[in-house]
Amino acid sequence: MTTYLETYCTIDDIQLVAPFVFDYDRKRTISNWISFSGNGNSTIYQAGSVGKFTQLFANDIELTSVGSTGAIDADGKYFFDEDADVVYYRPTSTNNPNFDEAVMAGRDNKTLFNEFISRSSDFVRSYINKPIYKNKGVGTSDSLGRDYPEIIVRSTAFLAAAMAISPYDNQRATQLQDVAYNPIDRTGLLDMIREGKISLDQDEDGRDKIVKDVSINGLTTGSIVDTLGHPNVSYDRIKVIITTAGTFAEGSTSTVKYSTYAGSDVGLKTNIVENGKIIDGGFQGAAHGVYIRFSPGVYTIDDEWEIEVSGLEHTSGGGIESVQMRRR
């Protein structure tokens, strides 16, 4: 499945706000090993009723997964028969995994915490109901050079940390979560963004225009950083693509060009609207009454964004005693 939605924080950000959460890595001990085959230095052990896992560890070192018991031809290899709920493992030398090693099952820590970040980012997007645009580009990023506002980064990190420890310490997890959002007292960072007490750089009801990266070259430093206008179509997906590469910089003539494609009666992104238009840093046409603004920076040919637009009225979800205003 392809997604253009991005994550807002990193594992380092989680470590900054809650370094203790990495003690909660969700590993569980595998015990009651019995001999399966072999002897001496090549004994393979088995253990049943282990439950689903994706990584086996011995003394906190990741072991090597193989596809069958026959492929366990060296120390440190294992095979997990998920259907039978049995794991087979060959320990080092003459070790017995019941006594000589701490064998645990779980998930790779980096993969696990990246999932927490993805889930928390999805929650942030849904909860605040406002556009979250990148700060990417010359003169537009924050003091640390981050792509997203610090308050979004921090909120996502607190949510990911809360998710990591909630099965073990719900009280502490709730305290972390409350920093990001508290639907009862409405004192969390995301609550205050949602109600307009804290503003983002581009603060409007953004349900009608959602910008997503589709294919951005690693050398590209500029981006679409703002939108303007209310779509005059019920629904469409606008394609924005760089057709002439170059550097768009303040104080010099721009050579970077973009084109846009809107939907037609034969499908989405099929009808060219803006053809080879020079990026100038102001609000420029996209389609359906929507305008976009590019930041200064380097752009690479075929850099592509998608703008999902809807002219239908949406419930803003801004909460009681708040009014959402739309910039047109």
Side-chain angles (χ1 to χ4, degrees):
M1 181 177 68
T2 301
T3 178
Y4 303 144
L5 298 177
E6 299 201 19
T7 54
Y8 300 133
C9 78
T10 65
I11 293 176
D12 289 340
D13 295 317
I14 300 175
Q15 191 168 32
L16 179 66
V17 301
F20 55 86
V21 303
F22 295 95
D23 295 331
Y24 301 86
D25 56 9
R26 304 199 179 188
K27 295 189 185 77
R28 61 186 184 275
T29 301
I30 304 298
S31 56
N32 299 321
W33 295 92
I34 61 174
S35 177
F36 170 69
S37 68
N39 57 71
N41 291 344
S42 61
T43 300
I44 296 174
Y45 291 82
Q46 65 177 346
S49 300
V50 294
K52 183 176 175 60
F53 67 90
T54 58
Q55 181 64 54
L56 196 69
F57 303 82
N59 299 329
D60 286 330
I61 302 299
E62 292 187 2
L63 301 172
T64 302
S65 175
V66 295
S68 67
T69 55
I72 304 177
D73 55 4
D75 296 349
K77 292 187 177 183
Y78 73 93
F79 165 62
F80 176 41
D81 186 340
E82 185 174 344
D83 292 334
D85 198 17
V86 177
V87 61
Y88 303 86
Y89 165 53
R90 176 173 155 178
T92 301
S93 187
T94 57
N95 284 356
N96 185 318
N98 289 305
F99 312 110
D100 303 317
E101 297 179 355
V103 182
M104 308 183 78
R107 297 179 61 185
D108 171 74
N109 190 269
K110 181 178 179 181
T111 301
L112 180 64
F113 275 86
N114 279 333
E115 180 176 325
F116 294 151
I117 290 170
S118 295
R119 290 176 179 270
S120 298
S121 298
D122 288 342
F123 179 91
V124 169
R125 263 187 292 273
S126 298
Y127 190 75
I128 69 170
N129 198 34
K130 293 175 183 287
I132 303 174
Y133 296 129
K134 284 188 173 182
N135 294 327
K136 190 173 182 179
V138 178
T140 61
S141 60
D142 63 18
S143 59
L144 293 176
R146 304 295 297 272
D147 281 350
Y148 291 102
E150 170 65 18
I151 197 163
I152 295 297
V153 173
R154 184 174 292 265
S155 298
T156 308
F158 273 111
L159 287 176
M163 189 177 297
I165 71 170
S166 59
Y168 308 100
D169 190 340
N170 188 62
Q171 182 177 1
R172 201 170 193 182
T174 300
Q175 292 172 345
L176 291 169
Q177 176 184 287
D178 284 348
V179 176
Y181 88 103
N182 185 329
I184 297 177
D185 297 330
R186 297 190 299 186
T187 55
L189 297 174
L190 299 177
D191 300 306
M192 290 188 280
I193 293 173
R194 182 174 175 172
E195 297 186 5
K197 296 176 182 177
I198 296 177
S199 63
L200 301 177
D201 288 341
Q202 310 90 2
D203 208 355
E204 59 175 303
D205 181 357
R207 296 293 296 174
D208 58 351
K209 302 181 294 293
I210 302 174
V211 179
K212 306 172 186 178
D213 292 354
V214 174
S215 177
I216 308 300
N217 189 281
L219 298 178
T220 296
T221 60
S223 183
I224 296 175
V225 294
D226 204 355
T227 63
L228 180 68
H230 184 56
N232 55 22
V233 65
S234 59
Y235 180 83
D236 199 5
R237 292 188 176 188
I238 304 170
K239 173 181 176 179
V240 182
I241 189 167
I242 299 299
T243 54
T244 300
T247 300
F248 166 47
E250 297 175 358
S252 62
T253 301
S254 174
T255 59
V256 184
K257 295 181 181 181
Y258 75 97
S259 295
T260 66
Y261 295 80
S264 68
D265 56 2
V266 297
L268 298 171
K269 304 179 183 179
T270 56
N271 182 43
I272 192 164
V273 179
E274 301 289 349
N275 188 7
K277 194 165 185 177
I278 294 177
I279 291 176
D280 62 16
F283 281 104
Q284 299 180 266
H288 304 306
V290 172
Y291 297 84
I292 53 179
R293 182 169 66 84
F294 292 91
S295 65
V298 175
Y299 291 87
T300 308
I301 194 166
D302 291 332
D303 284 342
E304 182 180 341
W305 298 263
E306 173 187 284
I307 309 174
E308 187 174 0
V309 297
S310 174
L312 302 176
E313 292 300 322
H314 296 276
T315 302
S316 66
I320 300 172
E321 298 178 352
S322 67
V323 176
Q324 297 285 350
M325 300 183 69
R326 176 180 291 119
R327 182 172 56 206
R328 296 181 182 275

